C-alpha cells in the first residue's frame, strides 16, 4: 500500500522497478526496460502513470504488456495505475539496452546493432551473427 510517508522519489523508484521487471510476451528473456518500450514512470499524489512505446504501431503484445504493468504496480500497492501509449517518437532499436542485446545474443537471436554502426557513408553494411563470428556483407 502506498502511504503519505513515502517520498515521491521512493515511490517513483518503486514503481519503476516494478514496471521494469515486466517481460515481453513475445521474447520472454527481455523485459520492457531491456527493449526500451518502457519510456517513463511518473508519480503524482501517489498516482502512477506509465508511458510505453510499442516496437511498431500495430504491436499485438501491447495490450498484454499494459495488463502486466497494471498487475505489477498493483502488487506493489499502487492502485488504478494509468498506462499511456506513446507513438511519437517511434520506437527504435537504439532504445534497447546493452543488457537486452546481451540477453538476445545468449538466447540465440542476433541483436540489432546500434544505428551508428549500421550505416557508413556511401555504403550500407548488412551484419548478422553466425555463432560467435560476426559476418558483414557490403550491399551495393
Amino acid at each position: 500500500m502506498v502511504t503519505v510517508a513515502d517520498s515521491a522519489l521512493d515511490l517513483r523508484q518503486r514503481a519503476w522497478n516494478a514496471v521494469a521487471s515486466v517481460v515481453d510476451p513475445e521474447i520472454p528473456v527481455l523485459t520492457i526496460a531491456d527493449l526500451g518500450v518502457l519510456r517513463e514512470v511518473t508519480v503524482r499524489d501517489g498516482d502512477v502513470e506509465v508511458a510505453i512505446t510499442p516496437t511498431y504501431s500495430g504491436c499485438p503484445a501491447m495490450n498484454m504488456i499494459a495488463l502486466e504493468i497494471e498487475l505489477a504496480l498493483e502488487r506493489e500497492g499502487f492502485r488504478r495505475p494509468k498506462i499511456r501509449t506513446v507513438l511519437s517518437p517511434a520506437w527504435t532499436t537504439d532504445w534497447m539496452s546493452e543488457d537486452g542485446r546481451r540477453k538476445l545474443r545468449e538466447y540465440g537471436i542476433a541483436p540489432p546493432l546500434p544505428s551508428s554502426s549500421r550505416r557508413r557513408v556511401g555504403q550500407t553494411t548488412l551484419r548478422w551473427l553466425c555463432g560467435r563470428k560476426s559476418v558483414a556483407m557490403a550491399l551495393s
Side-chain angles (χ1 to χ4, degrees):
M1 168 123 312
V2 175
T3 66
V4 177
D6 293 324
S7 77
L9 190 58
D10 290 341
L11 286 175
R12 185 195 174 279
Q13 189 61 54
R14 214 170 93 209
W16 179 274
N17 291 344
V19 173
S21 69
V22 170
V23 296
D24 176 57
E26 296 174 319
I27 308 174
V29 296
L30 296 178
T31 67
I32 61 172
D34 292 331
L35 272 173
V37 167
L38 174 58
R39 303 306 301 150
E40 182 180 37
V41 175
T42 56
V43 179
R44 288 188 188 90
D45 300 323
D47 295 328
V48 179
E49 183 175 309
V50 177
I52 53 177
T53 297
T55 55
Y56 67 98
S57 61
C59 179
M62 292 307 288
N63 288 336
M64 181 57 72
I65 289 171
L67 176 62
E68 291 295 332
I69 289 170
E70 287 180 35
L71 293 172
L73 288 168
E74 288 176 357
R75 281 191 297 270
E76 284 297 315
F78 296 98
R79 300 294 172 231
R80 295 180 311 277
K82 180 179 178 191
I83 315 302
R84 181 171 45 93
T85 300
V86 179
L87 299 177
S88 180
W91 180 86
T92 170
T93 57
D94 291 338
W95 292 358
M96 289 183 68
S97 70
E98 285 304 315
D99 195 42
R101 293 173 199 277
R102 178 191 55 76
K103 289 176 184 178
L104 277 178
R105 197 175 304 106
E106 290 172 358
Y107 192 62
I109 298 174
L113 297 171
S115 66
S116 61
S117 66
R118 275 189 253 157
R119 192 167 296 275
R120 309 243 192 283
V121 177
Q123 173 185 11
T124 300
T125 303
L126 173 64
R127 292 181 178 264
W128 66 92
L129 291 179
C130 295
R132 294 191 175 268
K133 296 178 184 174
S134 179
V135 179
M137 178 192 318
L139 300 177
S140 50

